[in-house]
Structure formats: C-alpha cells, structure tokens
Amino acid sequence: MTAAVELQNISKTFGETQTLRDVCLSVRAGEFISLVGPSGCGKSTLLRILAGLAPQSGGSVSIDETAIDHLPASARDIAMVFQNYALYPHMTVRQNIATPLRMRRLPAPARLPGIGRFWPGQSSKRRDIDRAVVEAARLVEIEPMLDRKPAALSGGQRQRVALARAIVRRPRVFLMDEPLSNLDARLRVTMRAEIAALHRRLGATFIYVTHDQVEAMTMSDRVAVMMGGEIVQCAAPAELYQNPRDLRVARFIGSPEIATMGSDELAAANPSFAQWLPRQPVLVAFRPEAVRLQPAPDHLPVAAVVERIEQLGPEVLLFLQLRDGNTALTARLAAGRARPWSERQPITVWLPLRNLLLFDAAGARLDSVPFKDMADAR
Amino acid sequence: MPADVTLSAMAARPRRLGARLSPRIAYGLAAPSVLLLVLTVLAPILVMIVLSFTSYRFGETGVEWTGLENYSQLVGDRTFMRALRNTFAYVAMVTPASVLLGLFLAVLIDGLGHGRGFYRLVFFLPVTATLVAMALVWKYLLHGSIGPFNLMLQSLGLPALDIFGDRDLALAGLAAINVWSLAGFNMVLFAAGLTSIPEELYEAAAMDGMDGKLDRFLNVTLPLLGPTMMFVIVTSTITAFKVFDTVAVITHGGPRGATDVLLYTTYLEGFSYFRMGSAAAMTVVFLSIMMIFAWIQARVLDRKVHY
C-alpha cells in the first residue's frame, strides 16, 4: 500500500530552456513530502515526470527500487489529483470515481459507454467496483452526492471527488498538483487538515506540489524547496525555517519575509556587532521574531525608524528602517506589547548576536562555527 | 400635501442613466430592427402561408381563395410524395456520412504532429468552392462514357457505371457530392470542439488507465464533443434538406424522377409551371419539416450534452 520513491538526476529541457537540472530526491515509504517553490520553478514538471505524463530528458524514477521510467502513467500504481480537478463533466460522481477501476478491471467491450453494461459475466466485478466507489466516497464524505454531475458541486466537493477517484484504486503513491489553490481561504484550511488526516489513514506516500509555503509547512513531514529547476533544500518544516541552507529558502519560507542586510550595514548601525561578524562582507538575516523591543542578554541595540504597522489581531508586525535609510527590518510582537507608535517615529530595537543566520554573496549559508571561535577568542 | 411630497421626492431623485428607460424610448429604439425583421423574414413567410391557401398563378391579377385544397392535392400528388421520400433518403445518407467523416478527419488531423494546417486547408477547400461549379466537375468525373472514374473502372476490367443515369445510384451519387463538400465544414467545427477539451482531462484519463485510443475517444473525446456534435448534426441535416443546386445542374430530377427532391419540385411548380399557390403549400411543408427536425434534435440531444 505504500512505497518509497526515488528520483535520480532528473533533468528536463524544453528546447533551449532547462526546466529541471539534476533533481535528486528520495521519498521514504509513507512519507508526506511537499514540493514548494515560486511558479515556474519546475515543481509541476517534476510531478508530471513522476506520474508518467511527461518524459524526462535525463535521469530515472524508481518506486521501491524498481525503475518505472518505461511504464505508462496507468501502470505506475500512482494516482494524481489535479489543480482543476479534471473530473469528467459528462459522468456522475459515481462514474467519475469508478473510472479508474472500470478501466482496469473490466474487459474492453464491457467498458464501452452505454452499451458496455450489457456485456455478460461482469456483474460480480461491477458489484465490487460499486462497493469500492461507495467506500472511497464515504472516506471523503461525498456519499450523498454520488449521483450528481460535477457541475452541480461546489469547488470543495469537486476536489473531494477528485480525491476519491485517486483513493479508489488504493495506489501506493499519491501525487497532488496544487489541489487546494482553486478553493477559498477558509475551505483551504479545512481541506488541509483533511488531506493530512487522509494521509495518516491511508498510510500511502504523498507527494504534494504547492506554491503556498503555509500548506507545505503545515501538512508535510518534509518540504523540498525548489528554485530555478533545482531542489535547494529538503528538510522537515521546522528545520527549514530555523536552519535554511540557502538565502532563497530563507526568503521563501516564513511570512513576513526574513530581513537581510550587509554585515557592513549592521556594523555601521552598531559598531559592537563588528567583532561578532566575519571579516569578509556577508549577508546577515533576521527573522521577525528575533527582533526585540526590550534589552535582552546577548542582544545589541540598533536605532531604527517605524515605517509601517500591521495589526494582525493576536500579533503586530512592525516594519522598520535602520538609520541609514535603506535597510529594512521587520519585528513581530504580541498584540499586548504594542504601543501606539506613529510613522517615522525613532525607535530602538535589540538584535541577537548569537546564532546569526549568515549567507555569503552567492546566497549559500555560512556555518556559524567560526564565530564560536571568535567568541572564544574574545 | 402628500402630492407635494411625492413630487419633491421625484424631483430630488437623481437621473438614472441606462438602468431605466421609459417604455416609449425603449420601443422606439427597438423599432428599426423589429421593422426589418418583420419586413424581411416574418412578412414573407406570412404572405407565403396565405398564398398556400389560394390558387394564385404567377402573372394573374385575380386571386381565388381555395382553403386547404392545395394541401389535399399534395397528399395525392405522386411527384410531390416521391420528392419527399427522395429528400428524406438523401438526408439519411448525407447527414451521418458527413458528420462521421468530419469527426474522423478532425480527430485524425488533431493527432498529427506536423501539417495540421495544411490538411485542414485541403479538406476545407470544397466548402469554399461554389457547389454549382463543382457539380459540373463532378458530372464530368462521373460521366457514364467519358468520365475518368468510369475509364478507371474499365481499365481495371470492371463494368462501367453510369451513376447519374442509373435510377438506383443517382441519388447516392448526389449524396456523395454533398458529403464531400460538407465533411470539410464539419471537420472544422469538430476541430474547434476538440481544442476546447482541456488537456488535463486527457492526463486524468491517462492516470485512470485509459491507455487505448478507443477508450479515450469513447470516454472523453466523444462525450465532450456532445455540444459540437449536436450543432453539427442540426446544421448538416438542414443543409442536406436544402439540396437543390446539384439536382438542378446534374440530374434535373432524373432519371425518371429518381432525384426529385423537395426544393427542386417546389422550384419547378412555382417558376416553371407558375402555380404559386401549390408551390407555397410545398414550401410550408418544407418549413414545417425543418422546424420539427430542429426541435426534435434540440430536445433529444440537449438531454445528453448538458453537464
């Protein structure tokens, strides 16, 4: 019922443009993994290659250590849920869900639309299919709608039908291509929880493509961040947030975006930072919750100006500029700790000096190991 | 006082633009198009229906009211009944053949990697050609003694076929010409229908195990072409019903009435024998048949294509 998926050096070129470069990813059996990235990063292409809907230009896909590159989509034991649901509009929900089983279990004459039902000797198979359809429909709570056409359903219900059509044949691997992006925000939150629950119940491997980092972070065991046709980092959500290996990952994960500044600018704002920073210029990044408005141990004060305040209810976002005027910084604080700041008001914030997130000019993460040495040297 | 209040309220109400027009202005604006519609479509039909109850002959000054006599004569008229039968037989040949051929060509060309435009153009060419001129070409091609088709048959050692001289083949021969000219048109309509089927649906079909082309065609393509199919069948039927030019150019209704069709008989009745009353009655019959067909097809096919 579940299987490990291995992608080895997958590349894909469309004419001159290379959409995927040597993508490697191993998905453990039963894992929920998300491919997340901005649009055009190649995540959907990767999913379609995995599904067998598009051939790769190089590399190989294997399931449970068996290469499946030569198999057509239907023989890969993979189900896929599409962004626009891709339900057959002329079929009822029941027929839609039954299609994968009908195509696999019934002989060719018996699956002819309309007259196929008169083909003899299939009644027990048909009963089995119908039972499986009802069971799958029950799992996603659309049993009362089995005899409706997709046009009579809401977006959320259609997505459930699409899920049921994927579940019904009990595949080892589920692929989902932005399944929630056409739903409204509230429904997306409930469906997120339901898909996660479905994953736990089925125990199958889920590979989930999304451009929404919140979806990826909340549902997945691991998240693979894709940028420009490569997987930049693949890690558990918390690890990805706290320990990004690349500046692009740091910027993509987390909202509001992580604030970055040159080490020179930081040192200019408070010269005491200089001894905690490497000699060559680097980029320093601060998550909004790392910025404090009160003095704290191992923090240094920096003068700033309030640019803009966003009230989010439980918390407040404070968008700041350092004194030099072109270095942005964001602070996140509990609503109770907010004061009635006005725009352009000078303010002092405290920035941490331990466990700084440092990146080199190319965006690669610099380990903080040398700074321990520096601290010791002090 | 209340009158005053309402008056001032009305005066205070801002002028609404667009949303509400006084009925007089609305009717005034609609009048030109209503007038044109009445003059060019409804009035002629009405005049024709009135004429069908008279014994009006072309060129006569007096008109005599005869009631249903024209219609009762039509029922007993062997020429007219034969024309009616021939027309139905003709439609029964042309519509399915041109629809299926059009669908076949559209699906075939859609599956091509290269040269789609070229093949579409080639098969669409007959639609652009004048059918009267093409009828002459076909008449020559299928001619009983000098036609290349017969020369080919003879060179293969087969007996010559004089298609338009044979009572059993003449109507089928005309039907073939119409299929040839109509299939390209239907192909273009089906091609447009094919492009509106989302690619994602074929991907879902591939995941669902529809590997065979036939499975995919019967389960996805054909049902989703439903609306197009309905339109194509209706237009093809109507076009086939209106067959006239090939009959007028090639067979003149012959041999011995084998290709007498409704419009041609009506034409002869009205403009050769000048019996306008009787011709009008035939036209009414023709119109009623067309309307019944359009209605039946809309009803029957509507139920299957709605989703």
Side-chain angles (χ1 to χ4, degrees):
Chain A
M1 278 320 289
T2 182
V5 178
E6 182 87 25
L7 299 172
Q8 282 163 335
N9 301 92
I10 299 288
S11 65
K12 176 80 183 173
T13 45
F14 289 104
E16 292 290 293
T17 49
Q18 188 160 22
T19 9
L20 293 174
R21 313 158 200 273
D22 283 341
V23 173
C24 297
L25 181 68
S26 41
V27 185
R28 292 186 286 267
E31 192 175 23
F32 194 128
I33 196 160
S34 289
L35 301 175
V36 69
S39 50
C41 70
K43 54 193 191 300
S44 285
T45 309
L46 187 61
L47 201 69
R48 289 160 48 78
I49 288 170
L50 190 45
L53 295 173
Q56 65 267 41
S57 308
S60 112
V61 181
S62 47
I63 292 185
D64 274 349
E65 282 154 31
T66 315
I68 54 162
D69 304 297
H70 59 287
L71 293 176
S74 58
R76 293 189 171 193
D77 204 5
I78 290 177
M80 183 153 167
V81 177
F82 294 85
Q83 180 175 3
N84 298 316
Y85 323 125
L87 300 177
Y88 307 114
H90 55 286
M91 297 184 189
T92 61
V93 169
R94 190 189 298 276
Q95 289 164 334
N96 260 292
I97 302 175
T99 300
L101 297 182
R102 205 159 56 86
M103 289 298 147
R104 284 176 168 78
R105 294 188 188 168
L106 297 183
R111 35 178 214 255
L112 289 174
I115 52 171
R117 76 181 76 128
F118 300 115
W119 191 256
Q122 306 297 326
S123 52
S124 76
K125 278 188 203 162
R126 281 180 198 285
R127 262 200 307 281
D128 285 348
I129 290 176
D130 207 49
R131 205 174 304 133
V133 167
V134 172
E135 199 180 314
R138 203 172 287 157
L139 212 56
V140 293
E141 296 167 26
I142 46 158
E143 208 187 346
M145 290 143 209
L146 276 176
D147 293 310
R148 289 199 211 160
K149 294 254 173 91
L153 304 180
S154 68
Q157 289 166 337
R158 282 182 213 180
Q159 196 57 77
R160 284 165 195 269
V161 177
L163 278 173
R165 184 174 63 177
I167 293 167
V168 74
R169 48 179 245 242
R170 304 272 163 180
R172 291 185 293 174
V173 180
F174 283 85
L175 308 181
M176 306 205 174
D177 189 6
E178 311 216 11
L180 306 184
S181 60
N182 283 354
L183 305 181
D184 63 65
R186 180 190 286 266
L187 199 55
R188 219 177 293 165
V189 175
T190 39
M191 285 302 281
R192 224 156 65 192
E194 285 194 30
I195 289 181
L198 200 63
H199 170 246
R200 279 194 299 276
R201 201 173 320 159
L202 297 173
T205 309
F206 274 46
I207 301 177
Y208 188 103
V209 161
T210 178
H211 63 269
D212 182 348
Q213 45 141 328
V214 180
E215 263 174 38
M217 300 285 278
T218 49
M219 298 164 76
S220 331
D221 298 319
R222 277 193 303 159
V223 178
V225 182
M226 288 188 74
M227 302 267 173
E230 291 169 308
I231 293 183
V232 186
Q233 188 175 0
C234 180
E239 166 82 4
L240 212 55
Y241 185 78
Q242 287 153 11
N243 200 10
R245 304 306 306 163
D246 191 287
L247 185 58
R248 290 173 295 173
V249 175
R251 284 206 171 121
F252 190 77
I253 303 294
S255 170
E257 197 176 286
I258 196 164
T260 55
M261 60 190 77
S263 50
D264 298 343
E265 285 149 317
L266 185 60
N270 185 336
S272 309
F273 269 113
Q275 59 179 308
W276 300 91
L277 294 166
R279 264 175 223 99
Q280 76 275 23
V282 294
L283 282 171
V284 192
F286 294 101
R287 291 280 182 204
E289 54 276 7
V291 180
R292 297 184 169 226
L293 281 96
Q294 282 87 28
D298 285 342
H299 283 61
L300 288 174
V302 169
V305 173
V306 176
E307 282 275 295
R308 189 158 51 89
I309 303 152
E310 280 185 7
Q311 300 278 355
L312 297 181
E315 57 187 21
V316 174
L317 298 179
L318 206 54
F319 294 88
L320 310 163
Q321 281 283 348
L322 292 195
R323 272 295 165 75
D324 63 5
N326 51 22
T327 308
L329 197 62
T330 314
R332 186 203 302 272
L333 32 136
R337 307 182 70 175
R339 265 161 281 147
W341 294 287
S342 59
E343 280 177 25
R344 309 303 308 163
Q345 178 183 334
I347 189 174
T348 304
V349 295
W350 278 262
L351 297 177
L353 38 81
R354 290 198 186 278
N355 301 322
L356 288 175
L357 286 174
L358 301 178
F359 301 91
D360 69 13
R365 175 78 180 277
L366 296 171
D367 286 320
S368 46
V369 182
F371 312 110
K372 276 185 189 149
D373 298 344
M374 286 177 76
D376 293 342
R378 189 177 62 135
Chain B
M1 267 304 137
D4 255 336
V5 172
T6 47
L7 253 181
S8 66
M10 276 173 71
R13 190 191 295 163
R15 274 174 51 125
R16 304 175 84 163
L17 292 174
R20 259 180 197 221
L21 281 176
S22 93
R24 209 178 296 165
I25 296 174
Y27 283 122
L29 289 173
S33 54
V34 170
L35 195 71
L36 270 179
L37 193 71
V38 169
L39 281 182
T40 59
V41 180
L42 298 179
I45 290 177
L46 205 69
V47 169
M48 183 203 60
I49 292 174
V50 171
L51 272 184
S52 74
F53 296 114
T54 68
S55 67
Y56 177 64
R57 293 176 66 92
F58 209 62
E60 270 182 11
T61 43
V63 172
E64 197 184 331
W65 189 263
T66 55
L68 288 171
E69 199 189 310
N70 282 331
Y71 291 95
S72 57
Q73 269 177 5
L74 282 189
V75 177
D77 186 348
R78 284 180 55 192
T79 316
F80 175 75
M81 293 314 277
R82 190 177 55 210
L84 203 59
R85 266 200 312 279
N86 282 343
T87 310
F88 274 104
Y90 182 83
V91 171
M93 286 187 275
V94 170
T95 304
S98 65
V99 170
L100 289 179
L101 190 60
L103 180 63
F104 181 71
L105 288 175
V107 172
L108 215 60
I109 292 174
D110 197 58
L112 284 176
H114 299 284
R116 286 189 205 184
F118 172 74
Y119 281 103
R120 280 199 191 127
L121 181 71
V122 167
F123 286 110
F124 191 69
L125 274 179
V127 184
T128 63
T130 318
L131 200 52
V132 175
M134 287 299 115
L136 284 173
V137 176
W138 277 100
K139 188 179 181 177
Y140 160 70
L141 282 176
L142 300 180
H143 193 278
S145 44
I146 59 160
F149 178 66
N150 266 312
L151 295 180
M152 191 189 75
L153 284 185
Q154 279 164 349
S155 71
L156 292 172
L158 296 166
L161 274 179
D162 184 7
I163 289 176
F164 296 124
D166 188 325
R167 287 193 66 183
D168 297 326
L169 290 178
L171 197 63
L174 293 179
I177 297 174
N178 208 341
V179 169
W180 168 81
S181 74
L182 206 54
F185 185 62
N186 291 348
M187 173 207 69
V188 169
L189 292 176
F190 279 124
L194 283 175
T195 56
S196 71
I197 301 177
E199 193 56 35
E200 218 178 32
L201 227 44
Y202 286 108
E203 294 184 345
M207 300 300 298
D208 285 346
M210 289 183 212
D211 293 325
K213 285 192 164 60
L214 190 67
D215 273 331
R216 230 168 18 232
F217 178 75
L218 291 176
N219 284 290
V220 181
T221 313
L222 198 56
L224 286 168
L225 280 180
T228 314
M229 180 72 83
M230 173 192 163
F231 180 74
V232 170
I233 290 177
V234 171
T235 51
S236 298
T237 309
I238 288 172
T239 312
F241 250 103
K242 291 196 300 194
V243 57
F244 176 79
D245 19 21
T246 45
V247 178
V249 171
I250 302 177
T251 62
H252 309 289
R256 283 189 292 141
T259 59
D260 255 340
V261 291
L262 215 45
L263 274 193
Y264 189 68
T265 311
T266 311
Y267 161 75
L268 288 182
E269 191 75 6
F271 297 99
S272 286
Y273 312 135
F274 300 119
R275 290 195 290 265
M276 293 310 278
S278 164
M282 288 181 181
T283 313
V284 170
V285 172
F286 176 74
L287 260 185
S288 329
I289 293 171
M290 299 281 266
M291 284 171 77
I292 290 171
F293 259 76
W295 183 77
I296 291 175
Q297 286 175 329
R299 283 295 301 272
V300 170
L301 291 167
D302 242 14
R303 222 168 296 150
K304 280 193 180 167
V305 299
H306 262 268
Y307 36 73

